[in-house]
Amino acid sequence: MAAGTKATELRELSDEELTTRLREAKAELFNLRVQAATGQLESQGRLQVIRREIARVYTIMRERELGLSAAPVEVAS
């Protein structure tokens, strides 16, 4: 995963891709927390970046649920 994903980049993803991105971010957050608990974590800032990315994904998913924004329409060729 990138250092941090912008909200505009996340808004371009489909619902399935957002769910996948959320699952990956949660898995990485778990791994970082385990590293922090065992004293092996090298970058404390990475925890904050991942937590914010998870929050961004949840925000975009909620916007779509409320109808404030729509998922991108894919054009079939």
Side-chain angles (χ1 to χ4, degrees):
M1 235 177 225
T5 308
K6 303 249 185 209
T8 53
E9 294 172 8
L10 291 173
R11 283 191 176 94
E12 295 172 357
L13 300 177
S14 68
D15 291 337
E16 295 82 23
E17 291 171 328
L18 274 178
T19 305
T20 302
R21 189 68 69 97
L22 179 63
R23 193 176 307 117
E24 290 171 355
K26 283 187 168 190
E28 184 174 354
L29 181 61
F30 175 78
N31 291 331
L32 289 173
R33 284 183 174 163
V34 168
Q35 288 177 8
T38 59
Q40 297 173 348
L41 185 62
E42 294 181 14
S43 174
Q44 291 288 333
R46 186 71 181 147
L47 281 168
Q48 184 177 12
V49 169
I50 295 299
R51 282 197 308 264
R52 285 184 180 180
E53 185 165 333
I54 291 171
R56 283 187 188 105
V57 171
Y58 274 132
T59 300
I60 293 168
M61 291 171 77
R62 182 68 177 153
E63 285 175 353
R64 290 180 183 175
E65 183 180 317
L66 294 174
L68 300 175
S69 68
V73 179
E74 296 196 16
V75 178
S77 15

